[in-house]
């Protein structure tokens, strides 16, 4: 078979369970979790690749891959199904030398797919994760990486000092070269948090992966092992500052917040933005939405294929939902295919795909003054029975 | 069953809206083009070889359809073919369906001889169970099946073809005539045996007959040479054959019974993907009884209207009984009643456009009012 040489390919780590999303990832891998009415989380890194001119993407899957694999399919929604492009799903597999099996860590996942990468003989490999919401031109980052003749470039963003100990922190010289990496430091020296977006010279990464695999003490992780080892070996590593919107949607609260940040006339994260930097999603062939004469929709997103008869305020209504008469949905994320029957009240909630809220049920409520954000969550296909109550912060 | 589909892209013309495009590429229903309904009917029935016959103005149509992948027609074998007139064979555009078919012989003679051919028009929209129609055609043993709709003939509407049934047989047949109530109107959808059809087309053209309804169906039936099976479709059929009908049907789609029939879950209607973001409803918008596509920004009032993709409605605007096609920008405080805005129209703030139910105001593509 003929493989065209590529300057850059991307490897997208999409195998994590996302256990902090609790019931939402019981049956779904985190990258396949719906977002923003018609998208799934993985649409963001995939669209970023396409918008950055990267046409070859390996997608490393492991946890609950069925839905994710179906969603990615042949990569057609992102234009990755052409003769010289691909979106290749790479699940763990069995090998003759037993250096195989489940992906032990993020680095091991790439290690097990060295053959895939080698086929394209790339100069650079961009390693991405499938759980962040952002728009980024990786081409600009690669140009920066080239300009600085680095072995590895890591995208960083400035975080508040009090939050810095939750991240991998990169301590840099004035020219943005990295001299130290600290994973979740108790006393952070700087506020440059790694965004989990790496650009490597493939030759350097390839060697490092092989060496790391031979180290029995390694947990085969990029942050914990590969980056410190490369630094220790004296490779030139650069921090690439990024100040656009970026959100790790790894928790219920952050997923809810990121959805809410799409709303408003000038939203924190503007999905419309630049026409040339669209986010692509698999299309579901649903008709336009119907908005009834009794409906009242204020500061909200409603995606296609929905029917709205009730009141929707400051919420995301995804594709194929029904919002019944006298329903009130406020400050909530309603995922695809949800039915909310007449008279139900939903506040501060995330309703999982195809869940059903029966008549006059109450889900969630106002945050109390002392409460942290208590978001009520229903899992995929859950049913909240007629007249029943799902209290603030509860999960079903 | 081997089935091929033929779609006629511009068999009707409704004035300004089809000046620069075929009937097939006329936007309809918020996010579709008229041809999407025919293509989806074929696609849902598993038809994987479709020819689109287009006489002129087919650029926007080709742009819309591309390689047909949205309808599962991007295939190595079969798939989608554009059958456009070429200068070598005809110096004029086609005079009738038979003439255009005779020009598409290469397409028709491709593949198995036992194939059935489904012909669909782009002006009459429906969501039919084509598999049932094909089965009934085969069971009938007749030469041609005409798919029809009751309740359309009213003595006023000019019908391409209408039949009157008695005891399950065709008792009368008329062409280009405002048939009275009781007649079944042809939906310009036919099923024929391919081999038979190819022969008929050749024989008709040899005698300078080119009109499908008049010469082949009516003429053949009258002479006892063509046996006709009539299939009465029970669902919704939207005849968009005039501006008035197009406008009426566009707004009828808001009604639940029409909408749920045309878009019923088992047979989706596919269209070109545009990757617009979900529609944003602003702080002060007031949307009542509307169909709204993706990508709109709504700050004003809209009632009883259809909004296509990426429409912006400014604050305090009042839009009632309107069909607003893609990318329109309606300025603050503008007032629109009974209007059809073609694509990319800009309505300046405070402007007023008031049409009537019978003759809506039409704003042409790209214009500013």
């Amino acid at each position: 078979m003929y493989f065209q040489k590529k300057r850059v390919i991307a490897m997208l780590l999409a195998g994590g369970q996302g256990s902090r999303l609790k019931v939402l990832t019981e049956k779904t891998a985190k990258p396949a979790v719906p977002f923003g009415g018609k998208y799934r989380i993985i649409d963001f890194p995939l669209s970023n690749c396409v918008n950055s001119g990267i046409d070859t993407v390996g997608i490393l899957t492991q946890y609950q891959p069925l839905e994710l694999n179906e969603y990615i399919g042949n990569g057609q929604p992102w234009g990755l199904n052409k003769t010289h492009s691909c979106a290749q799903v790479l699940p763990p597999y069995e090998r003759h030398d037993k250096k195989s099996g489940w992906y032990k860590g993020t680095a091991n996942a790439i290690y097990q797919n060295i053959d895939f990468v080698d086929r394209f003989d790339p100069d650079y490999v961009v390693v991405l994760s499938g759980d962040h919401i952002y728009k980024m031109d990786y081409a600009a980052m690669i140009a920066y990486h080239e300009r600085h003749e680095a072995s590895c470039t890591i995208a960083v963003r400035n975080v508040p000092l009090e939050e810095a100990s939750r991240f991998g922190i990169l301590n840099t010289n004035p020219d943005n070269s990295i001299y130290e990496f600290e994973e979740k430091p108790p006393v952070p020296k700087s506020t440059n948090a790694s965004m989990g977006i790496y650009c490597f010279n493939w030759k350097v990464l390839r060697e490092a992966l092989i060496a790391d695999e031979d180290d029995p003490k390694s947990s085969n992780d990029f942050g914990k092992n590969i980056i410190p080892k490369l630094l220790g070996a004296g490779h030139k590593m650069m921090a690439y500052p990024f100040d656009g919107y970026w959100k790790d949607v790894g928790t219920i609260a952050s997923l809810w917040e990121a959805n809410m940040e799409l709303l408003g006339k000038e939203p924190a994260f503007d999905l419309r933005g630049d026409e040339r930097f669209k986010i692509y999603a698999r299309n579901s062939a649903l008709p336009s939405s119907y908005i009834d004469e009794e409906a009242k929709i204020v500061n909200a997103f409603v995606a296609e294929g929905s029917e709205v008869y009730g009141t929707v305020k400051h919420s995301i209504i995804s594709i194929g939902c029904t919002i019944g008469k006298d329903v009130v949905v406020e400050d909530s994320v309603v995922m695809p295919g949800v039915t909310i029957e007449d008279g139900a009240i939903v506040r501060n909630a995330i309703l999982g795909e195809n869940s059903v809220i029966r008549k006059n049920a109450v889900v969630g409520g106002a945050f109390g003054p002392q409460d942290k954000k208590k978001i009520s969550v229903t899992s995929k296909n859950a049913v909240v029975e007629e007249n029943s109550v799902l209290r603030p912060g509860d999960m079903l | 069953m081997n089935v091929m589909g033929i779609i006629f892209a511009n068999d009707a013309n409704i004035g300004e809206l089809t000046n620069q495009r075929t009937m097939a590429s006329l936007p309809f229903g918020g996010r579709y083009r008229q041809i999407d309904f025919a293509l989806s009917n074929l696609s849902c029935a598993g038809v994987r070889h479709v020819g689109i016959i287009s006489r002129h103005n087919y650029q926007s149509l080709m742009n819309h359809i591309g390689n047909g992948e949205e309808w599962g027609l991007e295939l190595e074998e079969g798939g989608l073919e554009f059958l456009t007139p070429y200068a070598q064979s005809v110096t004029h555009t086609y005079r009738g369906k038979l003439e255009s078919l005779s020009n598409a012989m290469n397409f028709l003679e491709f593949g198995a001889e036992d194939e059935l051919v489904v012909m669909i028009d782009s002006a009459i929209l429906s969501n039919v169970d084509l598999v049932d129609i094909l089965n009934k055609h085969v069971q009938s043993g007749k030469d041609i099946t005409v798919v029809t709709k009751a309740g359309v003939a009213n003595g006023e509407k000019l019908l391409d073809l209408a039949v009157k049934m008695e005891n399950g047989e065709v008792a009368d047949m008329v062409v280009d005539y405002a048939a009275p109530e009781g007649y079944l109107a042809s939906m310009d959808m036919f099923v024929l045996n391919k081999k038979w059809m190819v022969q008929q087309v050749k024989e008709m053209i040899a005698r300078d007959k080119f009109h499908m309804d008049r010469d082949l169906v009516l003429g053949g039936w009258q002479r006892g040479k063509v046996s006709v099976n009539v299939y009465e479709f029970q669902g919704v059929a939207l005849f968009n054959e005039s501006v008035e009908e197009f406008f009426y049907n566009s707004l009828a789609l808001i009604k639940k019974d029409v909408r749920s029939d045309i878009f019923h879950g088992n047979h989706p209607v596919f269209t070109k993907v545009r990757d617009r973001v979900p529609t944003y409803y602003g702080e002060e918008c007031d949307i009542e009884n509307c169909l709204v596509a993706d990508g709109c920004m709504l700050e004003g009032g809209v009632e009883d209207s259809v909004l296509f993709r990426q429409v912006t409605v400014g604050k305090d605007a009042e839009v009632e009984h309107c069909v607003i096609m893609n990318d329109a920008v309606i300025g603050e405080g503008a007032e629109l009643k009974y209007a059809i805005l073609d694509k990319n129209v800009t309505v300046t703030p405070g402007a007023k456009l008031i049409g009537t139910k019978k003759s809506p105001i039409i704003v042409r593509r790209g214009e500013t009012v």
Side-chain angles (χ1 to χ4, degrees):
Chain A
M1 242 177 110
Y2 167 71
F3 291 92
Q4 199 171 52
K5 178 184 162 58
K6 299 284 178 186
R7 186 170 151 262
V8 188
I9 73 164
M11 296 295 272
L12 176 51
L13 300 162
Q17 179 184 355
S19 57
R20 288 175 303 154
L21 286 178
K22 314 226 163 123
V23 295
L24 293 175
T25 49
E26 257 171 18
K27 299 222 168 78
T28 306
K30 182 155 70 167
V33 167
F35 182 83
K38 62 176 284 191
Y39 306 95
R40 292 179 188 256
I41 295 170
I42 197 171
D43 288 329
F44 291 82
L46 275 180
S47 301
N48 286 341
C49 282
V50 173
N51 291 330
S52 308
I54 299 173
D55 62 4
T56 304
V57 185
I59 302 162
L60 301 128
T61 61
Q62 177 153 293
Y63 175 79
Q64 287 284 356
L66 174 66
E67 204 178 331
L68 182 59
N69 291 354
E70 279 172 352
Y71 187 72
I72 296 163
N74 64 352
Q76 181 266 339
W78 307 272
L80 291 170
N81 61 331
K82 306 294 186 277
T83 305
H84 295 298
S85 71
C86 80
Q88 174 93 45
V89 174
L90 302 166
Y93 60 97
E94 199 174 6
R95 253 163 59 150
H96 72 99
D97 58 4
K98 306 293 176 206
K99 282 186 175 177
S100 60
W102 298 113
Y103 295 146
K104 292 179 282 175
T106 50
N108 176 256
I110 310 284
Y111 169 82
Q112 290 202 38
N113 290 288
I114 284 178
D115 288 350
F116 170 79
V117 181
D118 277 346
R119 281 162 193 267
F120 302 99
D121 185 23
D123 300 327
Y124 308 112
V125 171
V126 174
V127 177
L128 305 167
S129 73
D131 39 17
H132 301 149
I133 300 293
Y134 64 112
K135 285 186 183 183
M136 181 170 169
D137 184 3
Y138 304 138
M141 178 175 171
I142 296 159
Y144 176 93
H145 175 83
E146 248 179 354
R147 204 161 58 235
H148 288 89
E149 297 176 336
S151 294
C152 169
T153 297
I154 305 172
V156 296
R157 59 192 291 273
N158 216 355
V159 293
L161 188 63
E162 59 271 24
E163 284 180 34
S165 50
R166 286 174 37 219
F167 294 92
I169 295 296
L170 297 163
N171 299 318
T172 55
N173 300 309
D175 67 349
N176 281 338
S177 62
I178 301 167
Y179 67 86
E180 187 183 24
F181 174 79
E182 294 182 287
E183 180 74 19
K184 298 185 181 154
V187 187
K189 289 182 202 144
S190 77
T191 54
N192 276 334
S194 164
M195 295 164 62
I197 300 165
Y198 310 97
C199 175
F200 291 99
N201 289 359
W202 173 232
K203 277 192 192 132
V204 173
L205 177 61
R206 195 179 190 283
E207 265 174 40
L209 289 172
I210 293 169
D212 184 63
E213 187 64 20
D214 287 336
D215 175 359
K217 280 181 279 176
S218 174
S219 49
N220 307 119
D221 184 83
F222 273 97
K224 286 188 198 121
N225 310 108
I226 299 289
I227 302 303
K229 279 180 184 169
L230 286 178
L231 263 178
H235 281 285
K236 184 171 184 188
M237 301 181 67
M238 294 298 296
Y240 174 73
F242 179 75
D243 60 1
Y245 181 91
W246 179 89
K247 192 116 185 168
D248 181 337
V249 287
T251 64
I252 296 286
S254 63
L255 179 66
W256 179 84
E257 270 170 26
N259 273 285
M260 293 304 143
E261 281 164 359
L262 301 172
L263 299 174
K265 209 160 180 200
E266 278 159 20
F269 185 40
D270 191 354
L271 277 178
R272 299 168 181 276
D274 188 345
E275 260 290 293
R276 290 161 305 171
F277 224 91
K278 270 196 222 172
I279 302 301
Y280 301 91
R282 188 168 282 283
N283 187 276
S284 41
L286 292 167
S288 297
S289 282
Y290 170 69
I291 312 301
D292 188 66
E293 54 194 14
E294 302 287 316
K296 178 112 191 84
I297 309 177
V298 180
N299 189 22
F301 261 10
V302 179
E304 287 180 322
S306 288
E307 306 213 332
V308 181
Y309 300 89
T311 298
V312 176
K313 285 184 183 165
H314 194 246
S315 294
I316 306 279
I317 308 296
S318 304
I319 50 174
C321 292
T322 304
I323 312 298
K325 277 191 200 308
D326 303 318
V327 164
V328 176
V329 180
E330 210 168 343
D331 303 312
S332 294
V333 179
V334 179
M335 287 184 172
V338 167
T339 302
I340 306 178
E341 295 182 357
D342 297 354
I345 310 283
V346 177
R347 284 202 169 91
N348 290 308
I350 299 179
L351 305 182
E353 273 178 273
N354 301 322
S355 50
V356 181
I357 313 302
R358 296 250 185 257
K359 277 183 191 165
N360 304 319
V362 176
V363 175
F367 297 140
Q370 308 304 326
D371 289 344
K372 284 188 93 181
K373 282 172 184 160
K374 281 189 171 175
I375 295 155
S376 309
V377 184
T378 61
S379 60
K380 197 171 179 175
N381 303 323
V383 179
V384 177
E385 295 298 346
E386 206 170 314
N387 298 316
S388 66
V389 174
L390 187 67
R391 288 176 312 176
D394 280 3
M395 301 204 181
L396 181 71
Chain B
M1 216 177 317
N2 282 315
V3 183
M4 64 161 52
I6 294 178
I7 299 175
F8 292 91
N10 34 6
D11 233 47
N13 185 328
I14 58 170
E16 270 175 291
L17 293 169
T18 50
N19 267 352
Q20 301 291 322
R21 55 164 82 91
T22 61
M23 191 67 195
S25 47
L26 178 63
F28 184 79
R31 55 197 299 283
Y32 305 96
R33 307 286 189 133
Q34 299 243 128
I35 196 169
D36 293 340
F37 295 83
L39 278 171
S40 300
N41 276 330
L42 292 167
S43 178
C44 287
V47 180
R48 295 290 177 266
H49 192 193
V50 176
I52 298 176
I53 293 185
S54 190
R55 290 189 249 189
H56 41 73
N57 282 340
Y58 42 79
Q59 200 173 354
S60 71
L61 182 62
M62 290 177 92
N63 180 21
H64 174 67
I65 291 171
N67 65 352
E69 69 180 349
E70 314 293 357
W71 301 270
L73 292 168
E74 77 293 16
L75 306 173
E76 301 290 328
E77 280 286 309
L80 189 76
E81 289 181 50
F82 272 91
L83 308 169
T84 53
Y86 28 73
Q88 296 94 318
S89 60
V90 265
T91 50
H92 52 79
T93 55
Y94 303 134
R95 285 175 294 177
K97 282 184 180 171
L98 296 179
E99 190 171 66
S100 56
L101 288 170
S102 82
N103 253 302
M105 274 304 161
N106 284 345
F107 172 80
L108 289 171
E109 288 177 345
F110 175 91
E113 278 211 329
D114 60 348
E115 267 183 21
L116 296 179
V117 177
V118 180
M119 288 190 202
I120 309 190
D121 185 83
S122 312
I124 299 163
L125 311 183
S126 60
N127 191 336
V128 298
D129 180 357
L130 205 49
V131 174
D132 185 52
I133 296 173
L134 290 162
N135 286 335
K136 297 275 161 59
H137 172 78
V138 173
Q139 283 162 22
S140 77
K142 301 273 173 70
D143 295 323
I144 182 164
T145 290
V146 184
V147 182
T148 63
K149 181 71 197 155
V152 178
N154 57 8
E156 282 174 32
K157 178 175 165 52
L158 198 63
L159 298 171
D160 288 346
L161 176 70
V163 292
K164 191 173 175 65
M165 303 297 287
E166 268 170 32
N167 308 319
E169 290 295 325
V170 179
D172 188 25
M173 191 182 291
V174 291
V175 164
D176 288 337
Y177 178 62
E181 276 180 44
Y183 278 70
L184 299 174
S186 161
M187 287 166 58
D188 283 344
M189 189 186 294
F190 303 95
V191 182
L192 312 90
N193 302 354
K194 189 176 91 175
K195 195 177 166 191
W196 179 84
M197 185 186 93
V198 167
Q199 189 56 34
Q200 292 300 311
V201 170
K202 286 177 178 168
E203 287 182 20
M204 286 285 158
I205 294 298
R207 290 166 180 82
D208 202 30
K209 301 278 190 198
F210 47 81
H211 195 289
M212 165 106 185
D213 292 336
R214 182 181 300 280
D215 300 329
L216 178 61
V217 185
L218 175 63
W221 176 75
Q222 282 173 335
R223 283 179 283 121
K225 289 219 166 168
V226 174
S227 57
V228 177
N229 174 46
V230 173
Y231 182 99
E232 191 184 330
F233 176 57
Q234 300 298 331
V236 171
L238 303 174
F239 286 64
N240 290 340
E241 297 178 304
S242 66
V243 169
E244 192 187 337
E245 284 179 347
F246 171 80
F247 186 60
Y248 179 88
N249 289 334
S250 290
L251 299 185
L253 213 52
I254 301 171
K255 293 181 206 153
K256 187 164 180 111
D257 52 339
V258 177
R259 189 162 34 96
S260 52
D261 190 285
I262 287 277
F263 301 118
H264 70 77
N266 296 338
H267 282 185
V269 183
F270 302 102
T271 189
K272 183 168 177 168
V273 174
R274 289 288 185 184
D275 291 292
R276 299 295 181 211
V277 304
T279 283
Y280 177 68
Y281 295 76
E283 294 283 353
E284 287 166 55
C285 76
D286 183 11
I287 313 298
E288 293 182 13
N289 197 36
C290 288
L291 272 189
V292 183
D294 263 358
C296 300
M297 274 285 247
L298 309 178
E299 300 285 352
V302 187
E303 259 178 62
D304 306 313
S305 297
V306 176
L307 303 182
F308 282 65
R309 287 160 169 163
Q310 204 100 332
V311 168
T312 304
V313 180
K315 251 172 136 178
D316 303 319
E318 285 178 44
V319 178
E320 286 174 32
H321 305 285
C322 288
V323 175
I324 314 287
M325 293 185 191
N326 307 16
D327 303 300
V329 178
I330 298 169
E332 288 186 14
E335 195 183 339
L336 274 66
K337 284 186 179 140
Y338 297 105
I340 300 173
L341 270 50
D342 206 329
K343 291 169 73 174
N344 279 311
V345 165
T346 303
V347 179
T348 50
K352 268 191 184 194
L353 289 177
I354 315 286
T356 66
K357 212 171 182 171
K358 286 259 173 198
S359 65
I361 288 185
I362 299 176
V363 183
R364 279 188 300 189
R365 191 173 176 161
E367 281 195 349
T368 299
V369 288

